[in-house]
Amino acid sequence: MYPMESARQPIQIITSPADANRLALRIDEQLHEEAREYVRLGRQGAPNSVRAYNTDLKQYQAWCQENQYPLLPLSPVILVEYVTYLGRQRSYFTVQRHLATLAKYHRLNELESPTTNEQFKVFMKGFKLKKTARQKQAPDFSIKELRKALDSLPTTPTGLRNRAILLLGFTGAFRRSELAQLNIENLLIDDAGMIIRLDRSKTNQFGEVEEKAVSYGQDEDYCPIHTLQAWLSLLDRQTGPLFVRIRKGERLTDKRLSDEWVNVLVQKHLGEHYTAHSLRASFVTVAKANGADDLEVMNQTKHRTTTMIQRYDRRRNIRKHNASGKLGL
């Protein structure tokens, strides 16, 4: 007998048509349950998309209630009014997200979306012409600025955690949501460097295997791996959230740090005009300036096209990056 033979389920012998019908019914129920789960996940979408959808929908529902409009179906005329209302405080791109939410809301209720109405499209063309401005991009910082920020951090658990976030966020070209979702078990550190496995990201919403590599720094004081090893020693555990909240008295908790706080951290230590997205923008800019090609950069940022890399490259300062000083005059 094979070692696992005793653990095998006994074969069910079908002795009558009634038995066969009962077995077929159980199989159908299982298939239906699996299918329902797939539909649920498909309707729900990725976690970040769900949060944005729910937030936009709540705002729309509150607006309808305030103005005594029915939620469904939304007429093109009322949609024009709602978009005009949103446009007072929202950018064109944010309004586009709200429209995507409303379109999905109608589709899920098997109704035609008013966003497809031809007259509404004419309205949106004018809205775009009026509202669209050059999209504000997160500014990049220099290596000198980063080192200055790191040098200002205290030698406390909070200072060490913040140091690890800034170094890993920059060298790994992480989004703030990715940093916040990292677990200790996502890290593999050896003599060759560090591999970080991402379970999910903005461009990887279906959980495909995605990894980033981070190298040792030449200066141990600014090395992301040595800093993370010191932070891991302080955590003293093998699993769970990598970056956690710290209470008064420098007491570590097991509660995951929010992605909003990552943005606050960057602005606190690097300057209010920077954002968490500056970590990625600065990585691309510094790497390209130091000779990295697009493929090398894309391996870290996980962008799908070189167009996005060019958009992230901030070497457009007309004083700092100008060919007129290289003419030999």
Side-chain angles (χ1 to χ4, degrees):
M1 180 181 292
Y2 292 102
M4 296 299 293
E5 188 73 24
S6 59
R8 294 180 180 176
Q9 296 295 324
I11 298 174
Q12 184 171 356
I13 300 176
I14 300 175
T15 58
S16 68
D19 290 337
N21 289 336
R22 282 194 293 272
L23 180 59
L25 181 61
R26 285 200 298 273
I27 292 174
D28 286 345
E29 289 174 349
Q30 291 173 359
L31 289 173
H32 291 162
E33 183 60 33
E34 290 181 31
R36 280 193 289 271
E37 177 64 10
Y38 294 146
V39 170
R40 185 188 69 80
L41 290 173
R43 289 167 65 98
Q44 176 176 296
N48 288 342
S49 300
V50 173
R51 283 193 291 271
Y53 176 82
N54 290 335
T55 299
D56 294 349
L57 195 57
K58 285 180 181 178
Q59 180 172 347
Y60 164 71
Q61 290 170 341
W63 183 83
C64 285
Q65 185 176 6
E66 181 181 347
N67 292 278
Q68 298 183 339
Y69 290 141
L71 294 178
L72 291 171
L74 178 62
S75 72
V77 174
I78 296 178
L79 181 57
V80 164
E81 185 179 338
Y82 184 56
V83 169
T84 304
Y85 161 77
L86 290 175
R88 291 175 178 175
Q89 296 181 325
R90 302 286 191 275
S91 70
Y92 169 78
F93 302 100
T94 302
V95 170
Q96 282 287 82
R97 192 195 72 199
H98 281 267
L99 290 176
T101 293
L102 292 177
K104 180 177 180 179
Y105 186 44
H106 280 73
R107 288 196 305 271
L108 291 178
N109 286 278
E110 299 182 353
L111 294 170
E112 183 178 356
S113 172
T115 59
T116 62
N117 179 271
E118 290 301 322
Q119 291 299 319
F120 177 73
K121 290 180 180 179
V122 172
F123 162 79
M124 282 304 297
K125 183 177 181 180
F127 180 83
K128 181 178 181 181
L129 289 171
K130 183 73 175 178
K131 289 287 294 183
T132 302
R134 185 174 180 179
Q135 190 174 7
K136 187 177 180 181
Q137 295 181 322
D140 65 303
F141 51 78
S142 65
I143 292 294
K144 183 178 180 180
E145 288 177 290
L146 177 61
R147 288 184 174 180
K148 183 179 179 180
L150 295 172
D151 291 341
S152 68
L153 293 171
T155 56
T156 61
T158 298
L160 181 60
R161 180 201 62 187
N162 294 355
R163 188 182 193 88
I165 290 174
L166 291 175
L167 280 169
L168 185 60
F170 171 63
T171 58
F174 281 101
R175 299 178 179 90
R176 65 181 187 177
S177 59
E178 295 168 349
L179 281 171
Q181 290 302 313
L182 283 177
N183 291 323
I184 296 173
E185 54 266 34
N186 293 130
L187 309 180
L188 174 62
I189 300 175
D190 56 26
D191 293 340
M194 177 168 59
I195 298 293
I196 305 107
R197 179 167 181 163
L198 301 180
D199 296 326
R200 202 174 293 273
S201 68
K202 181 179 179 181
T203 55
N204 175 28
Q205 297 188 355
F206 295 101
E208 299 172 359
V209 176
E210 191 170 88
E211 294 178 334
K212 293 189 178 190
V214 172
S215 302
Y216 284 97
Q218 297 179 357
D219 188 332
E220 189 170 322
D221 289 339
Y222 305 109
C223 174
I225 299 178
H226 282 114
T227 302
L228 268 175
Q229 287 175 320
W231 171 244
L232 290 171
S233 297
L234 201 61
L235 289 176
D236 193 27
R237 52 183 169 80
Q238 303 299 315
T239 60
L242 177 61
F243 297 120
V244 296
R245 300 177 186 177
I246 299 177
R247 293 177 180 171
K248 291 182 179 180
E250 295 296 323
R251 292 179 296 163
L252 273 68
T253 71
D254 58 358
K255 294 182 179 179
R256 189 182 301 276
L257 203 65
S258 70
D259 61 347
E260 290 85 359
W261 200 93
V262 174
N263 196 61
V264 172
L265 182 152
V266 170
Q267 293 181 323
K268 179 180 178 180
H269 296 297
L270 281 162
E272 292 185 358
H273 58 292
Y274 292 117
T275 69
H277 218 63
S278 295
L279 297 170
R280 281 168 66 80
S282 301
F283 169 85
V284 174
T285 304
V286 173
K288 291 287 290 181
N290 288 333
D293 62 35
D294 285 347
L295 181 59
E296 290 173 318
V297 173
M298 289 166 66
N299 272 337
Q300 199 72 325
T301 63
K302 302 306 176 185
H303 284 120
R304 307 300 186 190
T305 66
T306 57
T307 302
M308 289 303 298
I309 297 300
Q310 294 167 6
R311 186 176 166 191
Y312 270 67
D313 191 348
R314 299 294 188 264
R315 291 177 298 168
R316 294 174 184 171
N317 183 306
I318 61 172
R319 291 183 181 273
K320 187 177 179 181
H321 303 286
N322 193 292
S324 67
K326 300 179 180 180
L327 299 176
L329 295 177

